[in-house]
Amino acid sequence: MSSHAKPALAVIGGSGFYDFFDNEATHVEVETPYGAPSAPIAVGEVQGRPVAFLPRHGKNHEFAPHTLPYQANMWALRSLGVRRIFAPCAVGSLRADWGPGTVAVPDQLVDRTSGRPQTYFDGGGVHVSFADPYCDDLRTATIKSADDVLPMKGAGTMVVVQGPRFSTRAESRWFAGQGWDLVNMTGHPEAVLARELEMCYAAVALVTDLDAGLEEGSGVHAVDVFAEFKRNLVPFKDLIRRSVAAVTETDTCDRCRVHTGVSLPFELP
Ligand SMILES: [Zn+2]
């Protein structure tokens, strides 16, 4: 297979995912109407199929959650032919029974970010359905790919905060009191921009810490979060690889299409 084949599947994750492929990846520079994505997009093979990988925070982690070029990232993937995206991410847990090393496949999202452009449609009556923000097909592929290395939770609500600071104890207790399970800084607007471009999208969350409301020490510290993520990176990457391999349909599923009832103000890239 040519490494230039169009990737229908993509993974957006940490730079630790660069060795995700079975072969040497090709790096594709993409320009979009929204500027350049976080990094050139790597295209390689997973079990004989072309898969795109975008390091969310840039090659050397140069983008913070609130400065990420979310619009460019999703546009660039779509323009390469991507239709379905797994989005592994690090999360804090709002539940004592979901400790570090737990993997959760959320089914709901709460947006607590501010000031991030979260649409491609600044004019006209385009309102995408977002009641179910994540693709059920992709969620199922990951849930079925679980093994006994990382405990798996097959649903949950992820609240996305603006960051880059971590939550206060009061905020964290408030989130937990709402029945929300996980807290993260990058899951929005990634998910809704994928929906607007008619791409299936599923977040796969690796718990790195108990959030401040549960934690009894001096709070959440970045150094501990990065160390914990690294500790579970190999089995987490294996899970994502198995999830990618488990996806047989390479087009957008019917539920993740836009269905706005109006014509889109631009051609999808
Ligand atoms: Zn879908």
Side-chain angles (χ1 to χ4, degrees), residues 7-234:
L9 301 173
V11 173
I12 304 177
S15 47
F17 276 73
Y18 261 123
D19 55 0
F20 183 77
F21 298 115
D22 299 334
N23 63 344
E24 189 73 30
T26 305
H27 294 265
V28 188
E29 302 262 2
V30 188
E31 265 304 319
T32 80
Y34 306 91
S38 299
I41 293 171
V43 181
E45 281 183 23
V46 174
Q47 299 202 353
R49 285 196 300 184
V51 175
F53 167 67
L54 177 62
R56 181 183 283 116
H57 293 277
K59 257 183 166 164
N60 303 302
H61 213 101
E62 54 268 51
F63 292 101
H66 63 295
T67 64
L68 275 170
Y70 292 100
Q71 289 168 303
N73 285 352
M74 307 315 276
W75 189 279
L77 289 171
R78 168 84 198 195
S79 72
L80 289 185
V82 169
R83 295 294 181 269
R84 315 194 86 179
I85 300 172
F86 287 99
C89 59
V91 294
S93 172
L94 297 166
R95 315 170 47 132
D97 55 337
W98 293 13
T102 302
V103 172
V105 182
D107 60 339
Q108 279 297 317
L109 173 159
V110 174
D111 173 23
R112 292 278 305 159
T113 67
S114 58
R116 302 181 184 185
Q118 55 169 290
T119 182
Y120 295 104
F121 304 126
D122 286 328
V126 179
H127 306 278
V128 298
S129 172
F130 203 48
D132 297 301
Y134 301 117
C135 176
D136 273 343
D137 287 359
L138 299 188
R139 292 183 54 248
T140 301
T142 297
I143 293 164
K144 281 187 174 165
S145 300
D147 59 16
D148 42 16
V149 179
L150 301 174
M152 167 73 69
K153 307 296 176 187
T157 296
M158 182 165 83
V159 53
V160 185
V161 299
Q162 174 67 359
R165 67 171 177 84
F166 293 115
S167 303
T168 66
R169 291 187 206 280
E171 288 166 336
S172 180
R173 286 179 194 132
W174 175 56
F175 298 158
Q178 300 306 303
W180 305 338
D181 307 296
L182 307 162
V183 58
N184 158 274
M185 295 179 191
T186 56
H188 193 82
E190 226 172 63
V192 70
L193 293 172
R195 178 64 53 86
E196 285 195 347
L197 296 182
E198 297 194 340
M199 294 186 288
C200 296
Y201 177 97
V204 185
L206 175 63
V207 174
T208 55
D209 57 276
L210 295 179
D211 205 46
L214 291 169
E215 198 272 340
E216 291 182 348
S218 58
V220 180
H221 298 285
V223 62
D224 302 329
V225 167
F226 287 125
E228 181 60 29
F229 192 80
K230 216 171 167 185
R231 194 172 72 78
N232 289 309
L233 183 60
V234 170

